Amino acid sequence: MLLNIEQIKVQYKDIVALHDVSLSIEEGQIVAVLGANGSGKSTLLKSIASLLKLSQGRILFNNESIGNIGAHNVVHRGISLVPEGKHIFAKMSVKENLLLGAFTQKDQTVREEALGEIYDLFPRLKERLDQKAGTLSGGEQQMLAIGRGLMSRPKLLMFDEPSLGIAPNLVPRIFEVIDEIRQRGVTVLLVEQHVQEAMEIADRAYILQTGNVALEGKAKDLLNSDLVKKTYLGM
Amino acid sequence: MTRQWKYILGGAALLLTVLFPAVFNSPGALHLMILIYLYALLGMGWNILGGLTGQVSLGHAVYFGIGAYVTSMLLVTFGISPWLGMIPGVAVSVIISLIVGYPCFRLDKHYFVIATLCVGEIIHIIFLNWEAVGGAIGIWLPIMDTSFSNFQFHKTKVPYYYIILSFLLIVIFLTAWIQRSRLGFYFRAIREDQDAARSLGINAAFYKMVAMGISAAITSIAGTFYAQYLLFIDPPSVFALILSVQMCLLAVLGGKSSLWGPIIGAFILIPLSEYSREFLGGSGQGIDLMVYGALIMAIAAFQPRGLIGLLQPRKGK
């Protein structure tokens, strides 16, 4: 297992956001986490990224505990987060945004290589390198956020609702990109509201409900389960 | 502006400032310029933390006062030259800034501002009541012979002019270097979006402390200069809240987060406050502050980037 989450509990002051969540990801997989607003999806990602503290349980990455080690250390271990709402640096150029993603890579040649791969994946970004990131379209900003997340050459890349606020005709492209990233050998943890699309590219999936895992299994099986059909697909 | 023009303008400005005392050697003119440079230095020190890194502090008078007090006390008690005393002054300021920074940086923006303001007032009150360092009476520095090593010049203000000008130039180069370095890059990332910076692996807490330390060191050196220039310090003159506010104001007015912003701010605010005091006398007390307030409102409404925004209309990128 690349990532093993064992019975974690996370709370904001008195309010418990995750009660008792366990989850595991094998190397090379895409694992989707689905659930309604407030079910704890983003909290889960932020806990893995060490942006939030665990009250109980532990998180193992490559069999080493990474719970509460501090956000900057998590990146060094090889986990990168593409945050919700993009969180790009709007006043910095596209290139500066990408280079910030390579913060953990001190080696110039590795940085150049990573940049090359990202231009390859997103030719549009290469055309706009000197443009301020804030002037990009919503879709391009999301691509930039993804590219920036890849710059640290993570083993695990986590996406927090990558299709949020993207023009509907661009949404399929986002999922294509995620699939491509997996084919390049990066393991993916995907939090999404577009259940159908997410399930189609995912190997396994977890359904969260009010801070607990309600269902887990192979993505294909879950897509056919009554709970998913009723609650998320409206069938 | 092309590169050549920048060098020509920069060179001309440098030449003017260096030759200034040769042309205008009246004590009044020199005093005004010295004050402008001193405040520009303070604004630039503040700007490392408040501008480049986006952590607005309203307690920077603390480091100014500590720089002034440490060097003055070392001089009065042990006869240590202020040039040497400046180093422990900087050390103490940096240590205190880190002690202040560690808990305060955990707070969100507005709460950070309030916390720095409170720390500033607490230290002001401590010094007012601390008899061993002069309490409310303050410290008179001993008059010594005119010499560079004594940091005292009695016949003319020209040496003070060149000393503060050199400090300012050093800090201009330092800031320019930071802005171009990786360090400045991380500062900007933290200013723009701290959570995103953290999730990219930048240790935001650490880099904010670095910015705080550099900022406090510069402010502390300005404090040493101030004490030597006036040869008298007391808590209201070096720890007052208004000082902290002025450091912030002139950086914001000129253009915070830009290299030249605090200098432009100082060239506008300091003459304004000096001349308004001169013309209006005792009855005009506080008029300069009212003008500050109006200026800040105008800046916030029309040119949020500061006056420097008028000089460099939108960058292409």
Side-chain angles (χ1 to χ4, degrees):
Chain A
M1 287 293 161
L2 184 69
L3 184 80
N4 238 327
I5 295 176
E6 298 174 354
Q7 298 178 308
I8 59 167
K9 179 179 176 188
V10 179
Q11 54 197 68
Y12 299 93
K13 294 272 165 64
D14 299 333
I15 301 154
V16 181
L18 296 178
H19 289 275
D20 174 15
V21 172
S22 298
L23 175 151
S24 58
I25 307 177
E26 259 175 67
E27 197 154 359
Q29 281 190 334
I30 294 182
V31 170
V33 175
L34 314 166
N37 282 332
S39 61
K41 299 174 309 234
S42 295
T43 305
L44 177 67
L45 292 195
K46 283 183 184 162
S47 317
I48 300 171
S50 226
L51 287 164
L52 292 174
K53 283 209 164 126
L54 309 178
S55 330
Q56 276 169 33
R58 55 181 196 158
I59 300 176
L60 297 176
F61 184 65
N62 278 331
N63 291 322
E64 283 173 52
S65 174
I66 57 161
N68 301 339
I69 62 171
H72 54 280
N73 292 321
V74 170
V75 184
H76 284 271
R77 300 284 178 95
I79 299 180
S80 190
L81 171 68
V82 179
E84 184 186 11
K86 292 158 244 154
H87 278 290
I88 53 157
F89 301 106
K91 289 179 192 157
M92 294 192 181
S93 73
V94 169
K95 182 152 193 195
E96 286 175 322
N97 266 274
L98 290 174
L99 286 176
L100 274 168
F103 174 81
T104 52
Q105 298 292 348
K106 303 290 178 205
D107 187 348
Q108 177 81 29
T109 53
V110 177
R111 281 211 300 272
E112 293 294 329
E113 246 177 67
L115 268 179
E117 272 177 37
I118 282 148
Y119 298 157
D120 192 30
L121 202 55
F122 306 113
R124 287 293 279 279
L125 292 184
K126 194 178 180 184
E127 293 163 21
R128 286 156 204 262
L129 277 185
D130 294 324
Q131 208 169 313
K132 285 229 168 111
T135 65
L136 299 178
S137 74
E140 288 164 343
Q141 290 188 11
Q142 185 63 58
M143 300 299 175
L144 177 58
I146 297 172
R148 194 183 60 184
L150 281 170
M151 283 296 288
S152 65
R153 306 210 129 193
K155 295 188 203 96
L156 173 66
L157 188 57
M158 305 191 288
F159 292 87
D160 196 356
E161 309 221 5
S163 67
L164 194 76
I166 304 289
N169 59 337
L170 279 173
V171 171
R173 174 73 192 130
I174 300 270
F175 287 98
E176 273 172 40
V177 164
I178 294 172
D179 203 32
E180 247 180 277
I181 288 169
R182 184 255 302 267
Q183 279 161 25
R184 288 170 185 232
V186 180
T187 308
V188 172
L189 179 56
L190 173 63
V191 160
E192 250 305 325
Q193 299 254 17
H194 281 83
V195 173
Q196 181 86 39
E197 288 89 338
M199 293 292 230
E200 274 167 19
I201 61 164
D203 299 293
R204 290 177 55 250
Y206 289 78
I207 313 274
L208 286 186
Q209 269 178 358
T210 58
N212 286 299
V213 176
L215 213 58
E216 63 167 291
K218 282 190 180 163
K220 280 191 194 110
D221 298 344
L222 285 191
L223 202 49
N224 294 319
S225 75
D226 288 340
L227 178 77
V228 172
K229 274 189 182 165
K230 257 195 219 149
T231 337
Y232 300 104
L233 301 176
M235 296 201 295
Chain B
M1 242 189 321
T2 62
R3 220 182 163 78
Q4 283 100 326
W5 271 109
K6 271 188 182 168
Y7 283 129
I8 292 169
L9 272 176
L14 184 64
L15 201 67
L16 276 177
T17 51
V18 171
L19 292 180
F20 183 87
V23 185
F24 302 93
N25 52 11
S26 76
L30 283 174
H31 176 67
L32 182 65
M33 290 308 284
I34 290 169
L35 278 188
I36 290 173
Y37 296 159
L38 176 69
Y39 277 89
L41 185 64
L42 288 172
M44 292 199 78
W46 181 91
N47 198 36
I48 303 275
L49 182 69
L52 303 190
T53 323
Q55 308 297 313
V56 173
S57 155
L58 284 182
H60 257 50
V62 166
Y63 316 117
F64 183 71
I66 286 174
Y69 264 89
V70 170
T71 41
S72 302
M73 283 308 291
L74 287 173
L75 176 64
V76 171
T77 352
F78 302 108
I80 294 173
S81 158
W83 289 107
L84 286 176
M86 202 185 278
I87 298 162
V90 165
V92 174
S93 292
V94 170
I95 290 167
I96 290 186
S97 78
L98 299 185
I99 295 171
V100 171
Y102 188 76
C104 291
F105 279 137
R106 280 153 195 270
L107 302 170
D108 261 349
K109 292 209 157 174
H110 311 87
Y111 299 106
F112 176 77
V113 178
I114 294 168
T116 56
L117 198 151
C118 294
V119 172
E121 283 307 276
I122 290 166
I123 297 201
H124 184 183
I125 291 166
I126 291 175
F127 272 82
L128 269 176
N129 295 289
W130 190 356
E131 297 300 332
V133 296
I137 298 161
I139 306 175
W140 291 96
L141 276 66
I143 310 281
M144 297 185 293
D145 292 341
T146 289
S147 88
F148 185 76
S149 61
N150 283 344
F151 209 135
Q152 288 192 14
F153 313 94
H154 304 295
K155 291 203 184 80
T156 157
K157 289 178 191 290
V158 172
Y160 289 113
Y161 177 93
Y162 284 114
I163 290 172
I164 192 71
L165 180 60
S166 334
F167 285 173
L168 184 60
L169 287 174
I170 292 168
V171 171
I172 290 172
F173 281 111
L174 176 74
T175 307
W177 175 80
I178 290 175
Q179 280 183 323
R180 280 167 183 71
S181 71
R182 287 172 76 99
L183 190 62
F185 202 35
Y186 303 150
F187 286 173
R188 274 172 71 201
I190 291 166
R191 180 182 74 207
E192 295 261 321
D193 190 331
Q194 191 172 312
D195 278 340
R198 284 177 66 203
S199 62
L200 294 176
I202 296 174
N203 187 344
F206 172 77
Y207 284 106
K208 283 194 287 188
M209 295 285 257
V210 172
M212 181 73 140
I214 298 173
S215 183
I218 295 169
T219 313
S220 173
I221 289 172
T224 299
F225 177 87
Y226 177 86
Q228 289 306 311
Y229 181 57
L230 290 189
L231 296 174
F232 169 70
I233 53 169
D234 63 349
S237 65
V238 293
F239 283 116
L241 174 63
I242 186 67
L243 252 167
S244 299
V245 174
Q246 273 173 319
M247 293 181 209
C248 167
L249 277 191
L250 56 90
V252 172
L253 177 74
K256 73 181 156 84
S257 77
S258 81
L259 176 60
W260 301 102
I263 299 172
I264 294 173
F267 266 96
I268 289 167
L269 283 189
I270 302 310
L272 189 78
S273 91
E274 288 299 301
Y275 284 115
S276 72
R277 254 181 246 168
E278 193 174 316
F279 284 129
L280 299 164
S283 61
Q285 275 235 327
I287 291 275
D288 53 331
L289 300 181
M290 288 161 69
V291 177
Y292 280 12
L295 275 173
I296 289 295
M297 282 192 272
I299 281 292
F302 300 116
Q303 191 55 264
R305 285 167 60 202
L307 290 174
I308 198 144
L310 300 172
L311 298 179
Q312 31 177 236
R314 283 175 192 232
K315 272 188 211 155
K317 59 174 187 174

